[in-house]
Amino acid sequence: MISFALDVEDLADTRFAVSPLQETVFSLRVLHSPGLFALHLPWRRSVLGRLGALDTGLLMSLVARRLTLPDFLTPRPAGFAPAFEEELAQVRGTPPDLVRRDLLATHAPDPLPEALRDASAVRLRDTICELLRDYWEIAVRPWWPQIRLVVEADMTYRARQLAMGGTRLLFADMHPNLRWHDGVLYIDKMISRHHAAASGRGLLLLPSVFAHKPAPPVSPEAPPSLVYPSRGVGTLWASAPTTGTRDLVSLIGAPRTKLLTLLEEPLPTVELARRLRVTPSAVSQHLRVLYATGLVTRARHGRQVLYRRSPLGDQLTGDAPQR
């Protein structure tokens, strides 16, 4: 078990971030252990045919037998959504002794894989950075816009949970391995065991489409952060939803029925268009009608306008989620 003690100041400094580097590194687990990631099998099949001459042996050596990953490859993002190259520059600046320590800690108690043994820490660090950059371009960057929409939709949901029920509700349905009690966040079923006080450093939360369970840093000295499985992962590679009931389609039409089906959670126009595989302008036309008739609500979140089914829309679809 790993636990983080969070005082009032730490809770005030709890924030979310999007990390293209962390998603890239976490996606290696899908290649390594596909049985744990059934939802990502379409992505995995596509990527395996594109890796070509990349050193997959070195890539896979970064994932330990227990699926742990080196902390130095997933540095704490400095801002909300840093660019991949910015994060990779942080990794390039990792001191050699920290590189070696993290690799040993990742694979312990097993020995280091052969691909990680002989080279100097500096050369190994730089080689891994070049390899991850090439892998990002092939395996993650083509899907990054869709991935980012999914994780940002999760953040919107979490912010709503926090507003409705405070910290306890924020963590309540994040994952079964997480529990919040008396100012401490407990992460169960972890290989490592340590307790860390945030001590004014706050908590960084990173929703991930490639995480299968909560993943805090392996090192107890690292600032508190938590990668956790994002909601909506199943929509990334899924086909557009089928139409709803015959009566509802007859009443409002198939396109608007599909929209109402999707709008159980707040979503922006561009994400709705991606899932339905139509243009954003086409979605906007239908959303205007649904909003005017009271079937959806809308609210601005940053630069985006998020739409969600109204209670009336829930009744019409036969779905009444807890609000």
Side-chain angles (χ1 to χ4, degrees):
M1 176 190 294
I2 292 176
S3 58
F4 295 135
L6 305 170
D7 62 20
V8 174
E9 288 300 316
D10 295 314
L11 292 176
D13 197 28
T14 295
R15 62 184 178 89
F16 290 88
V18 181
S19 170
L21 177 59
Q22 295 214 19
E23 288 293 67
T24 300
V25 172
F26 272 77
S27 75
L28 296 175
R29 287 173 166 168
V30 181
L31 301 184
H32 183 277
S33 301
L36 294 175
F37 301 92
L39 290 176
H40 292 304
L41 291 181
W43 171 85
R44 185 177 185 273
R45 284 192 294 268
S46 174
V47 167
L48 287 177
R50 297 156 56 95
L51 293 181
L54 287 189
D55 187 348
T56 54
L58 180 55
L59 274 177
M60 290 300 95
S61 73
L62 299 175
V63 186
R65 175 176 54 86
R66 301 172 300 174
L67 299 186
T68 47
L69 294 160
D71 280 350
F72 81 93
L73 293 179
T74 54
R76 187 182 178 94
F80 171 70
F84 180 84
E85 290 294 343
E86 293 176 19
E87 295 191 284
L88 200 62
Q90 283 185 265
V91 178
R92 290 184 190 279
T94 306
D97 58 337
L98 184 57
V99 172
R100 187 62 63 182
R101 187 198 73 181
D102 280 359
L103 289 173
L104 289 170
T106 296
H107 287 276
D110 299 330
L112 283 178
E114 185 176 351
L116 301 177
R117 289 179 194 167
D118 298 332
S120 70
V122 172
R123 184 186 307 168
L124 191 58
R125 177 198 64 197
D126 293 346
T127 300
I128 290 171
C129 284
E130 289 299 319
L131 184 57
L132 285 176
R133 184 176 63 182
D134 293 340
Y135 174 73
W136 149 261
E137 292 289 341
I138 294 170
V140 181
R141 186 177 181 180
W143 290 274
W144 182 245
Q146 298 96 304
I147 291 172
R148 179 163 175 171
L149 285 170
V150 169
V151 297
E152 288 192 0
D154 177 274
M155 293 178 192
T156 301
Y157 171 81
R158 301 294 166 198
R160 188 172 185 271
Q161 293 291 90
L162 181 64
M164 291 178 61
T167 305
R168 191 179 305 278
L169 190 58
L170 170 65
F171 295 115
D173 67 345
M174 196 172 278
H175 193 273
N177 291 0
L178 290 177
R179 55 190 176 92
W180 170 261
H181 178 70
D182 198 22
V184 180
L185 179 63
Y186 296 93
I187 306 110
D188 293 327
K189 299 181 180 179
M190 299 299 302
I191 298 169
S192 302
R193 293 180 176 272
H194 62 258
H195 176 80
S199 303
R201 294 176 293 177
L203 174 66
L204 182 64
L205 298 171
L206 297 113
S208 168
V209 303
F210 291 115
H212 69 294
K213 65 178 184 177
V218 173
S219 170
E221 289 81 26
S225 65
L226 185 69
V227 178
Y228 66 90
S230 174
R231 289 163 51 90
V233 173
T235 68
L236 265 174
W237 328 117
S239 302
T242 57
T243 57
T245 64
R246 184 180 305 173
D247 290 341
L248 186 55
V249 172
S250 299
L251 179 64
I252 63 174
R256 291 167 191 165
T257 298
K258 290 179 181 179
L259 279 172
L260 279 183
T261 302
L262 287 173
L263 286 172
E264 182 181 3
E265 59 180 318
L267 292 171
T269 303
V270 289
E271 171 62 5
L272 289 165
R274 182 190 70 79
R275 297 191 190 184
L276 293 170
R277 299 177 182 174
V278 297
T279 64
S281 61
V283 171
S284 294
Q285 293 176 22
H286 293 302
L287 287 173
R288 279 196 293 268
V289 175
L290 293 173
Y291 177 74
T293 54
L295 296 179
V296 302
T297 61
R298 66 187 182 191
R300 180 164 292 279
H301 177 72
R303 298 179 181 177
Q304 297 179 326
V305 175
L306 300 176
Y307 292 85
R308 184 188 177 96
R309 240 174 18 225
S310 68
L312 178 60
D314 288 336
Q315 293 178 25
L316 197 59
T317 59
D319 189 8
Q322 296 296 317
R323 293 180 179 272

